[in-house]
Amino acid sequence: QVQLVESGGGLVQAGGSLRLSCAASGRTFSNYVMGWFRQAPGKEHEFVAAISWGGSNTYYADSVKGRFTISRDNARNTVYLQMNSLKPEDTAVYVCAADRAYYYSAKYSEYDYWGQGTQVTVSS
C-alpha cells in the first residue's frame, strides 16, 4: 500500500504561482512513476504531468507545457508540481497518483494509488 497526501492548493489570481506537494508513505517511493491529474467540476480526470522513477524523464499535457514543472525528491518521498502563469481554466482539484508500471501513463485508471486531492482556484 502507498498513501499519498497532497498539499499546497489554494486561491490565486491569474498569472500567479502555486507549488503543490505530494507526500508518500508505505512502499518504496522510488519504484513508482508519479503523476498529477486534475478534475474540474462535472469533468473527467485530466492528465497534467508525470515523472519517471528517478526523475530524469518528465511528461506534460499540452495545456500546461511550459507553465508547470513536475519534480520529485526520492529521499523525502515527495513529488512536486510547480505551477506558474496560472489561468482560470487551471481551476480544479489536483490529485497525485502512483503507478508501479515501468513507463508513465496518461490514464487516471491505470495508476495504482491516488491521493484525496487539493483544490486550486484561479481567479480572473
Side-chain angles (χ1 to χ4, degrees):
Q1 280 283 5
V2 174
Q3 292 78 42
L4 303 172
V5 179
E6 303 93 338
S7 62
L11 173 64
V12 64
Q13 288 188 331
S17 298
L18 282 174
R19 188 195 196 201
L20 305 184
S21 299
C22 173
S25 60
R27 295 186 180 271
T28 306
F29 177 72
S30 59
N31 289 347
Y32 290 83
V33 168
M34 299 299 296
W36 284 98
F37 292 80
R38 64 188 182 186
Q39 187 177 30
K43 295 190 176 181
E44 298 289 324
H45 283 95
E46 176 191 13
F47 172 74
V48 175
I51 188 166
S52 59
W53 296 354
S56 58
N57 295 305
T58 56
Y59 314 91
Y60 297 95
D62 287 343
S63 58
V64 307
K65 203 171 293 183
R67 300 188 297 122
F68 291 10
T69 303
I70 188 171
S71 61
R72 67 190 297 164
D73 184 342
N74 286 345
R76 297 178 182 271
N77 287 359
T78 302
V79 62
Y80 305 97
L81 185 68
Q82 178 67 44
M83 305 186 296
N84 299 329
S85 302
L86 283 161
K87 305 174 181 180
E89 51 264 43
D90 294 319
T91 295
V93 174
Y94 283 71
V95 178
C96 169
D99 188 353
R100 288 172 292 190
Y102 177 76
Y103 192 71
Y104 95 102
S105 171
K107 294 183 179 180
Y108 184 80
S109 61
E110 292 186 357
Y111 283 69
D112 299 296
Y113 303 100
W114 305 268
Q116 292 297 311
T118 185
Q119 176 70 47
V120 171
T121 303
V122 184
S123 63
S124 57

